[in-house]
Amino acid sequence: MNKILIVAQKEFRDGIRNRWAVAIALVFVLLSLGLAYFGSATAGVIGFSSLESTLVSLGSLCVMLVPLIALMLAYNSFVGELEQGTLLLLLTYPLSHNQLLLGKFMGQAAILSGAALVGFGIPAVVISVMSEVDVSEVLLAFSAFIVAASVLGWVFIALAYVISLCVAEKSKAAGLALVVWFLFVLVFDLMLMAMLVASEGDINQTWVPYLLWLNPTDVFRIFVYMIVGSSNLTGVLSIADQGANGLIHLSVVMLAWVGLPLMLSAWILKRKELS
């Protein structure tokens, strides 16, 4: 465990030194405050309108930004070391491939989680002070939101490791990371909606909601809607139902999205070590 923490501390220090954590937190703070204050401007309302609309808007923002930030943070974690010639050197140390992988993951996950805590925590405090909503309600809802946003980031850090271990050049890893972001954030929902429309009701509707589990960004968005108690799911999310998408189910699915890519990364790294 000490070896894992040493690697994690190194990754965290590197992130702080490269201003990653500060930049991410600053982006979250500015955009969160902007959405909270100007989110209802199209309806002619300036200022904080409601906790529900603020969190739903932040959820949409997170779906676009958090996966991209996580992928850019972690895409070169292994291919960068490989290009510099330090990966093979690291594998000769008394450090197992699992310890190296978990250490890197813990360090980068801490960077993203810390940035989310600061970036969304400050707006939560501001909203608590300046709005008439109960303070405990705001802090509880934002706490759940911060955890969900952090886990969403962990998913894409784990996916970035798979990419980083499957290529030999940083430029290819960066390109694949953008492709993954594009597929999950933009393409998946369009393809699913097109499939449902083209089927003209021939698809068994009982298992259709589970298709949303194939996209962690959709799981996150449903989670946010459930946090605020909203049932007004729009777009492809309207096929979700309470039975398939309870908070416990969604939490398990998100953790599986973290664990499975990490296990795949460990297997790929083990093959590299053996070769």
Side-chain angles (χ1 to χ4, degrees):
M1 188 64 184
N2 287 338
K3 294 178 181 178
I4 295 175
L5 292 178
I6 290 173
V7 176
Q9 289 171 0
K10 175 188 176 298
E11 290 295 325
F12 188 81
R13 285 196 300 268
D14 288 345
I16 298 296
R17 189 180 305 116
N18 295 332
R19 303 293 191 271
W20 261 107
V22 176
I24 296 170
L26 186 60
V27 167
F28 286 161
V29 169
L30 293 178
L31 291 179
S32 298
L33 289 175
L35 276 177
Y37 194 76
F38 297 105
S40 301
T42 55
V45 178
I46 299 296
F48 178 76
S49 56
S50 71
L51 181 61
E52 177 181 334
S53 62
T54 298
L55 285 179
V56 169
S57 298
L58 286 178
S60 299
L61 173 69
C62 280
V63 165
M64 300 295 291
L65 279 185
V66 171
L68 183 62
I69 290 171
L71 288 167
M72 293 299 100
L73 176 66
Y75 80 91
N76 67 340
S77 295
F78 292 96
V79 70
E81 301 266 16
L82 184 63
E83 282 191 351
Q84 296 170 8
T86 55
L87 180 59
L88 294 178
L89 179 62
L90 281 173
L91 294 176
T92 63
Y93 289 168
L95 181 72
S96 72
H97 63 285
N98 285 336
Q99 289 173 328
L100 176 62
L101 178 68
L102 288 177
K104 282 182 170 291
F105 177 78
M106 288 176 62
Q108 292 178 337
I111 292 173
L112 197 58
S113 299
L117 178 62
V118 174
F120 297 123
I122 291 176
V125 173
V126 172
I127 291 172
S128 299
V129 173
M130 299 185 65
S131 73
E132 297 179 357
V133 182
D134 183 67
V135 174
S136 61
E137 181 182 352
V138 173
L139 296 182
L140 183 61
F142 265 90
S143 296
F145 181 86
I146 290 169
V147 171
S150 298
V151 176
L152 179 64
W154 301 350
V155 170
F156 284 89
I157 288 175
L159 289 172
Y161 288 169
V162 176
I163 295 171
S164 190
L165 286 165
C166 287
V167 298
E169 297 177 11
K170 287 173 63 175
S171 57
K172 291 182 179 179
L176 282 175
L178 291 176
V179 169
V180 168
W181 176 83
F182 190 74
L183 288 175
F184 279 114
V185 173
L186 300 175
V187 175
F188 180 89
D189 286 354
L190 293 176
M191 291 181 61
L192 181 56
M193 187 63 73
M195 182 187 72
L196 294 175
V197 172
S199 69
E200 297 181 349
D202 293 336
I203 297 178
N204 188 341
Q205 297 299 311
T206 59
W207 58 264
V208 167
Y210 296 97
L211 292 175
L212 295 174
W213 290 6
L214 298 177
N215 187 350
T217 64
D218 283 336
V219 177
F220 168 77
R221 283 194 289 172
I222 298 170
F223 194 95
V224 172
Y225 274 98
M226 296 191 70
I227 289 173
V228 299
S230 174
S231 58
N232 298 320
L233 299 178
T234 59
V236 73
L237 298 186
S238 61
I239 66 176
D241 64 48
Q242 287 292 114
N245 295 290
L247 285 177
I248 295 178
H249 292 124
L250 296 175
S251 299
V252 171
V253 171
M254 287 296 282
L255 291 177
W257 265 108
V258 176
L260 291 176
L262 280 179
M263 288 190 287
L264 179 58
S265 299
W267 179 76
I268 298 171
L269 185 58
K270 181 67 173 178
R271 285 175 61 87
K272 286 183 177 290
E273 185 180 18
L274 292 175
S275 62

